Amino acid sequence: MAGQSDPHLSIFSPSEVEFVAEDEIVEIVPNIRMEALNMICGDFGPFFPQIASKVPLWLAVALKKRGKCTIRTPDWMTIDSDCLIAYLSVLLLYIFMVLDAERESPKEFQPLPFHYIEISKLLFDHARDDISDAYLVRSLIEDIRDVRFHKVETGLETISGRTHAVKLKNLSAMEVNIVRPFMVRTLQAFYKHDSPQMIQQADNTGSRPTPVTDRGPRRDLRRR
Amino acid sequence: MGSYSSTEEETLDDFGESGVDDLVVSLYQMDLDRTLFLLRSYLRLRLQKIEKYMMHISKSEDLLSRLSQQEQRFAKSCTEMMEKHLEQSVLSKLPYGYDSVTRQSLSSTEDDMGIPFDLIIIPEPQLDTFVFCKTKSDVGAFQLDDIGEEVVDLVADDLYVLRYKSIKGLVESGQIDLI
């Protein structure tokens, strides 16, 4: 398994994934006046008090930490305010709907932002007071995460020797990162042992030394 | 790259002196730090790859041309040092015919299937491995192997796990992103 054993080349740490997520755009409502910022990652502003503006998440968090703005909760993290009173019985909430749909369809993932885990974590850490019903939203997101991860795990069980491609519609960045080592090694192992060359080698064991065991399988041999 | 970030740094120093709001200065500083962090990680990763596959890279003109001048120098001196080290520590004590860095032995340059043994000694990137990727646009039915047994329908903005070798062309033409 040479080439895969080196973790530095293929795996991101959770904090690196979070770093990438910090470039996602969110909406803030500043409470100060500030000139436009011409940054390497783009131009933002100018900012006026009480007028919403779009900035990357890291900038929003930095301003929030200094008490210069409130962060608008992204739509997918909100609970519809009309049905707030009846939220436990009526379940008309976006996030509830996601969770429900997630439980209904065992094979598919519901569309959520690619970085939903990281964004929600950062917002809960730094802008908790800007989120309405933070406690409920947080537990719902955790539920969604668990349900989705369970799906990933069951999905792993279906991989077999004939699997040459896996489709993971709507899987998020953090989920990809967690499942990457297992997924790649499983597929790799099946691919290697499924290759005609390996089967052929098993047939005439002992008749010939096999110096090529750690080389990639060669599909072209199948033509015979 | 280096010159760009140093201009940015100078701008920041000017800001500090000319009395621009501290908040704005610190925000620009964060932006700069993030960019530098990203560039450094990128360069470090490239160097790691070069170190791992230096022999393989220095064999091929095409691969060498993808490196920057500094990286080419690094790859070259790395290879030379490795060869010298192997030579001094082991190879010089082996009998004639077995003392090459790139070849297992002089007499058996090919095994009985006609595959040269050189490949085994020089570490090469494993292109047959599986990667996570996201399609940017509709590709349509895409053939994964040479004989057309494995065909996938690639739809825009979907996530797949595929063999790198088969989608290499799509990655290079920018139709698909690795993630």
Side-chain angles (χ1 to χ4, degrees):
Chain A
M1 281 286 163
Q4 288 181 60
S5 49
D6 187 354
H8 301 292
L9 284 182
S10 55
I11 295 171
F12 293 101
S13 69
S15 44
E16 278 171 322
V17 181
E18 193 177 288
F19 176 86
V20 179
E22 282 173 345
D23 279 328
E24 293 288 307
I25 301 294
V26 291
E27 221 175 35
I28 58 163
V29 181
N31 53 25
I32 48 155
R33 227 198 99 87
M34 195 163 62
E35 293 294 303
L37 300 167
N38 306 106
M39 296 188 157
I40 303 176
C41 59
D43 298 335
F44 305 102
F47 303 92
F48 302 102
Q50 306 313 322
I51 293 179
S53 179
K54 285 188 161 59
V55 293
L57 187 52
W58 66 266
L59 190 58
V61 169
L63 287 171
K64 175 72 191 173
K65 271 189 191 159
R66 292 168 177 77
K68 308 289 184 203
C69 76
T70 54
I71 302 177
R72 283 222 178 135
T73 319
D75 286 344
W76 55 270
M77 271 179 75
T78 54
I79 295 178
D80 197 336
S81 59
D82 292 337
C83 53
L84 195 63
I85 311 150
Y87 64 75
L88 280 174
S89 50
V90 187
L91 308 190
L92 274 173
L93 329 165
Y94 181 76
I95 214 158
F96 266 132
M97 292 195 307
V98 173
L99 180 57
D100 264 12
E102 203 78 68
R103 285 202 175 121
E104 300 271 296
S105 54
K107 288 262 167 68
E108 278 175 31
F109 296 94
Q110 290 303 307
L112 269 178
F114 190 52
H115 289 290
Y116 84 99
I117 294 179
E118 303 90 298
I119 294 176
S120 59
K121 181 186 178 295
L122 283 164
L123 290 183
F124 282 124
D125 285 354
H126 301 289
R128 217 188 148 76
D129 48 329
D130 294 343
I131 306 169
S132 52
D133 307 296
Y135 185 77
L136 183 63
V137 174
R138 177 172 216 154
S139 70
L140 283 171
I141 287 187
E142 270 166 21
D143 285 351
I144 291 177
R145 227 172 85 173
D146 289 347
V147 174
R148 285 171 67 105
F149 202 72
H150 181 73
K151 278 187 204 176
V152 176
E153 281 173 344
T154 12
L156 274 177
E157 287 170 14
T158 65
I159 293 180
S160 73
R162 293 280 152 222
T163 316
H164 49 78
V166 181
K167 185 172 171 176
L168 292 163
K169 198 177 162 119
N170 295 327
L171 198 69
S172 81
M174 199 59 100
E175 288 156 351
V176 166
N177 206 44
I178 293 169
V179 82
R180 192 193 311 263
F182 305 107
M183 189 72 113
V184 170
R185 294 198 76 145
T186 319
L187 285 169
Q188 189 69 50
F190 272 119
Y191 181 66
K192 188 173 136 190
H193 295 293
D194 187 43
S195 76
Q197 195 191 24
M198 285 295 285
I199 295 164
Q200 186 209 5
Q201 273 173 15
D203 288 346
N204 46 13
T205 323
S207 63
R208 183 171 74 84
T210 52
V212 285
T213 37
D214 62 347
R215 196 185 312 160
R218 296 171 69 90
R219 284 268 145 160
D220 48 353
L221 292 178
R222 194 182 265 179
R223 273 200 211 99
R224 328 174 165 188
Chain B
M1 251 160 13
S3 64
Y4 186 60
S5 60
S6 60
T7 340
E8 254 333 277
E9 271 165 11
E10 281 162 25
T11 321
L12 270 182
D13 288 343
D14 290 347
F15 275 169
E17 285 157 21
S18 61
V20 176
D21 190 4
D22 277 352
L23 173 68
V24 177
V25 178
S26 76
L27 292 179
Y28 275 109
Q29 182 67 51
M30 281 181 78
D31 179 46
L32 182 63
D33 289 345
R34 284 178 65 83
T35 313
L36 287 177
F37 173 77
L38 204 64
L39 287 176
R40 287 191 188 117
S41 324
Y42 178 63
L43 288 177
R44 211 175 295 131
L45 197 64
R46 280 180 69 101
L47 287 182
Q48 264 180 28
K49 279 193 192 174
I50 295 173
E51 230 170 273
K52 199 164 168 190
Y53 302 117
M54 51 192 171
M55 298 270 195
H56 174 66
I57 292 173
S58 49
K59 266 195 317 187
S60 141
E61 277 302 314
D62 177 42
L63 291 179
L64 263 180
S65 68
R66 294 187 203 173
L67 306 186
S68 73
Q69 277 190 355
Q70 288 93 327
E71 284 171 335
Q72 286 183 10
R73 229 179 297 137
F74 175 74
K76 208 172 150 228
S77 64
C78 233
T79 319
E80 278 165 10
M81 273 190 267
M82 181 56 95
E83 276 170 4
K84 202 173 146 201
H85 167 69
L86 289 175
E87 184 69 44
Q88 283 176 351
S89 55
V90 185
L91 292 173
S92 60
K93 296 171 183 68
L94 294 179
Y96 172 76
Y98 292 89
D99 55 356
S100 154
V101 187
T102 53
R103 223 169 247 181
Q104 197 142 332
S105 85
L106 201 61
S107 52
S108 61
T109 50
E110 286 183 354
D111 69 2
D112 47 358
M113 289 183 68
I115 301 162
F117 268 125
D118 319 11
L119 295 171
I120 300 164
I121 301 193
I122 301 175
E124 274 183 34
Q126 204 183 3
L127 300 184
D128 241 339
T129 195
F130 284 81
V131 290
F132 281 76
C133 53
K134 207 168 195 178
T135 41
K136 282 193 201 163
S137 54
D138 274 323
V139 178
F142 186 73
Q143 193 175 321
L144 292 177
D145 56 357
D146 309 332
I147 46 177
E149 271 187 14
E150 303 168 356
V151 177
V152 218
D153 194 20
L154 298 179
V155 188
D157 212 29
D158 249 2
L159 214 147
Y160 299 89
V161 191
L162 301 167
R163 267 200 325 284
Y164 177 69
K165 217 176 199 166
S166 44
I167 56 156
K168 194 162 174 265
L170 295 179
V171 175
E172 279 163 6
S173 65
Q175 283 171 285
I176 211 168
D177 278 335
L178 298 181
I179 53 168

